[in-house]
């Protein structure tokens, strides 16, 4: 796995999401993508890419990204179970998940929001799916593709 260390720096300064657990959330999200690869979910998503237009594909991409957030939450659930969660850690992760929401990023960079172009989900969705994974600790409850009213 490759982690862009510049992004870790940006997370703190530009996105105002400091803390070791903010970075841990990002790493866990990326590991989540690796799990999706192992489960064949990534390949399924890619097979849609050639068949769908960008706008429709983005809807699946958002669900794919939110699933990685969910898996990151599942990981955090076990960190807590092992008594390794320090005070403020969870808040750092929630803050980071919100900070990298498409709506928030678009608003700060373009000044307006274009939902059809979302690729990762809103701040609310990212934080929400991380939280769901954290509360449940069960990988099987992370089917963001079947979830209604995302
Ligand atoms: Zn991702």
């Amino acid at each position: 796995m490759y982690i862009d260390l510049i992004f870790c720096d940006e997370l703190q300064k530009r996105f105002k999401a400091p803390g070791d657990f903010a970075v841990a959330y990002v790493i866990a999200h990326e590991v989540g993508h690796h799990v999706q690869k192992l489960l064949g979910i990534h390949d399924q998503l890619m097979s849609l890419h050639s068949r769908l237009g960008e706008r429709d594909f983005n809807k699946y991409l958002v669900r794919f990204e939110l699933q990685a957030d969910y898996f990151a939450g599942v990981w955090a659930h076990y960190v807590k179970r092992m008594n390794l969660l320090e005070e403020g850690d969870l808040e750092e992760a929630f803050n980071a998940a919100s900070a990298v929401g498409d709506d928030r990023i678009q608003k700060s960079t373009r000044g307006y929001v274009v939902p059809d172009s979302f690729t990762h989900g809103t701040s609310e969705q990212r934080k929400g799916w991380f939280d769901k994974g954290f509360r449940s600790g069960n990988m099987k409850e992370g089917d963001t593709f079947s979830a209604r009213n995302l």
Side-chain angles (χ1 to χ4, degrees):
M1 197 171 87
Y2 292 88
I3 294 288
D4 182 356
L5 296 177
I6 292 170
F7 182 73
C8 294
D9 202 44
E10 274 190 345
L11 195 63
Q12 191 175 3
K13 291 173 185 153
R14 190 179 140 213
F15 294 105
K16 310 255 180 288
D20 58 351
F21 217 73
V23 176
Y25 153 73
V26 171
I27 295 171
H29 172 97
E30 298 305 329
V31 172
H33 282 315
H34 181 64
V35 171
Q36 289 173 312
K37 177 86 188 156
L38 296 176
L39 294 174
I41 298 164
H42 179 261
D43 287 348
Q44 283 180 312
L45 177 79
M46 285 304 130
S47 75
L48 291 173
H49 202 192
S50 51
R51 285 189 274 144
L52 298 175
E54 197 182 330
R55 213 178 113 179
D56 287 328
F57 178 72
N58 282 349
K59 288 182 187 143
Y60 287 96
L61 189 54
V62 165
R63 288 169 184 264
F64 181 78
E65 292 294 339
L66 292 176
Q67 189 174 53
D69 285 332
Y70 179 88
F71 288 165
V74 170
W75 170 77
H77 174 93
Y78 288 97
V79 172
K80 187 183 180 192
R81 257 203 205 178
M82 290 187 289
N83 275 324
L84 294 172
L85 217 52
E86 294 168 353
E87 190 160 341
D89 275 349
L90 211 53
E91 289 72 21
E92 288 170 4
F94 283 144
N95 184 41
S98 300
V100 293
D102 286 322
D103 54 338
R104 188 161 324 163
I105 292 174
Q106 287 189 359
K107 202 153 199 179
S108 70
T109 54
R110 302 185 200 181
Y112 59 93
V113 168
V114 183
D116 281 342
S117 69
F118 285 178
T119 55
H120 286 71
T122 63
S123 296
E124 194 71 34
Q125 289 172 327
R126 299 203 69 175
K127 187 182 163 192
W129 280 97
F130 176 84
D131 190 35
K132 269 184 205 186
F134 176 72
R135 285 168 195 268
S136 122
N138 184 352
M139 296 278 292
K140 289 186 176 147
E141 287 171 25
D143 185 1
T144 51
F145 294 92
S146 306
R148 279 182 284 168
N149 306 320
L150 265 190

